[in-house]
Amino acid sequence: MTDFNSLSFIVSDIMLSLQSFYYVNKFFQMPKYTLSVNNKQMSVEVDADTPLLWVLRDQLNLVGTKYGCGVAQCGACTIHYNGSPVRSCQFPVSAVGNGKVVTIEGLSENGDHPVQQAWIEMDVAQCGYCQAGQIMAAAALLKKNPNPSDEEIDTTITNICRCGTNVRIRKAIHLAASKGGKS
Ligand code: FES
Ligand code: FES
């Protein structure tokens, strides 16, 4: 027969195990974030320092945003954050807060943003890898400066294109600007 002392040992053992389970579980649990992406609320559970780029690509399957360098140099991962261009490879998910994130998938309903149309008309893309970032950077520029000079384009859009499409990018930005490209 179990006496009172053994019973209290068993109970305190169970309590300790439950407590450790709670803390271990809490330790390994990822924080949860609700993000506004392309005008939709989306929830993810990831480490606080996860770059937004990987949240977009791996958690939300928005793979239009590309990984190039991972150190905020190439611009392949450019998205809009509250309307400004941001290099998402160096932007931790914990910094997003209530800000609005727009990716290339959300720039326009049917891929018909004036910048996208100008890109098609000028046949800008070569391999295409950098182009989502270029388009996002160009759209953000035209929103701020509807008629940029060549110099303003060159100093603002520092995205790298290894295929050397920069001349066509500049022409396409002027074309989009001539058609009221900030919308
Ligand atoms: S991948 Fe982000 S700037 Fe290159
Ligand atoms: S089009 Fe190939 S890297 Fe820009």
Side-chain angles (χ1 to χ4, degrees):
M1 240 181 106
T2 315
D3 62 22
F4 182 75
N5 272 349
S6 335
L7 191 63
S8 68
F9 272 128
I10 292 169
V11 170
S12 72
D13 262 8
I14 292 172
M15 295 300 286
L16 270 176
S17 305
L18 284 174
Q19 211 174 25
S20 336
F21 176 76
Y22 172 79
Y23 283 115
V24 168
N25 202 31
K26 200 172 163 65
F27 182 77
F28 285 110
Q29 237 172 33
M30 301 277 188
K32 189 172 180 177
Y33 298 94
T34 301
L35 312 172
S36 165
V37 180
N38 298 336
N39 284 324
K40 288 187 193 128
Q41 296 297 114
M42 301 187 180
S43 291
V44 291
E45 284 182 31
V46 286
D47 273 334
D49 58 356
T50 307
L52 179 59
L53 170 64
W54 299 118
V55 172
L56 295 171
R57 290 185 57 84
D58 293 349
Q59 308 286 318
L60 303 177
N61 202 28
L62 293 168
V63 295
T65 307
K66 303 296 188 215
Y67 169 76
C69 64
V71 290
Q73 293 297 302
C74 74
C77 64
T78 305
I79 51 97
H80 292 175
Y81 179 69
N82 288 336
S84 295
V86 162
R87 297 191 171 180
S88 60
C89 67
Q90 285 291 310
F91 193 61
V93 66
S94 54
V96 174
N98 295 324
K100 287 187 185 307
V101 174
V102 175
T103 68
I104 187 73
E105 290 88 349
L107 184 63
S108 59
E109 285 269 315
N110 303 303
D112 55 359
H113 184 282
V115 170
Q116 290 169 303
Q117 288 178 337
W119 243 245
I120 293 167
E121 209 171 313
M122 294 305 302
D123 204 8
V124 172
Q126 198 161 313
C127 81
Y129 195 81
C130 72
Q131 296 297 327
Q134 304 277 10
I135 288 170
M136 295 308 280
L141 167 63
L142 289 177
K143 206 151 209 168
K144 260 193 163 170
N145 179 355
N147 196 17
S149 64
D150 281 348
E151 200 189 347
E152 286 166 334
I153 292 172
D154 292 347
T155 52
T156 310
I157 303 200
T158 55
N159 298 38
I160 293 168
C161 174
R162 281 177 293 182
C163 298
T165 62
N166 307 69
V167 174
R168 292 203 296 273
I169 285 173
R170 202 196 273 165
K171 283 184 182 164
I173 292 173
H174 286 307
L175 179 62
S178 72
K179 295 183 178 182
K182 63 177 179 170
S183 62

